Amino acid sequence: QVQLVESGGGLVQAGVSLRLSCTASGRTVSSYHMGWFRQAPGKEREFVTVINRGYGSTYYADSVKGRFTISRDNARNTVYLQMNSLKPEDTAVYYCAASGRLMMTTRQNDYDYWGQGTQVTVSS
């Protein structure tokens, strides 16, 4: 089993940056593809980004490409989501998740473990 705990969310103005953290316990983050998802009120949860468990290749949703960066620090057993140039449409609860699938995946049903979420609110 693995437990995931997100932190770093908050209320910010549009255009600023935030860095979210996801710290794992029980197992190492290097054993899983680690993804970030987000869910706005009244909307379905959507994929944001994922980092491969092997060599660290990444993939991003079009809505965040060029603004968000996912990274992993194996020594700290932590995955980060650097969010730059935040927009009001980025407002959501952000979740980190771990997938044990063979290939990196964007499908939430392919993720086995989820954090509790951290709220990001971007005002205009």
Side-chain angles (χ1 to χ4, degrees), residues 32-34 49-53 56-58 70-72 104:
Y32 299 90
H33 309 301
M34 297 298 300
T49 182
V50 60
I51 185 166
N52 190 279
R53 68 181 173 218
S57 58
T58 59
I70 187 171
S71 62
R72 182 175 61 216
M104 195 165 57

Side-chain angles (χ1 to χ4, degrees), residues 29-33 51-56 72 99-102:
V29 296
S30 62
S31 298
Y32 299 90
H33 309 301
I51 185 166
N52 190 279
R53 68 181 173 218
Y55 294 97
R72 182 175 61 216
S99 173
R101 300 293 189 270
L102 290 177

Side-chain angles (χ1 to χ4, degrees), residues 19-68:
R19 189 179 73 166
L20 306 183
S21 299
C22 174
T23 300
S25 61
R27 298 183 185 180
T28 58
V29 296
S30 62
S31 298
Y32 299 90
H33 309 301
M34 297 298 300
W36 287 94
F37 294 77
R38 66 186 183 184
Q39 185 171 28
K43 297 185 180 297
E44 294 187 2
R45 187 161 54 192
E46 65 176 355
F47 168 80
V48 177
T49 182
V50 60
I51 185 166
N52 190 279
R53 68 181 173 218
Y55 294 97
S57 58
T58 59
Y59 182 79
Y60 297 89
D62 288 341
S63 59
V64 306
K65 193 174 300 181
R67 298 187 298 120
F68 290 12

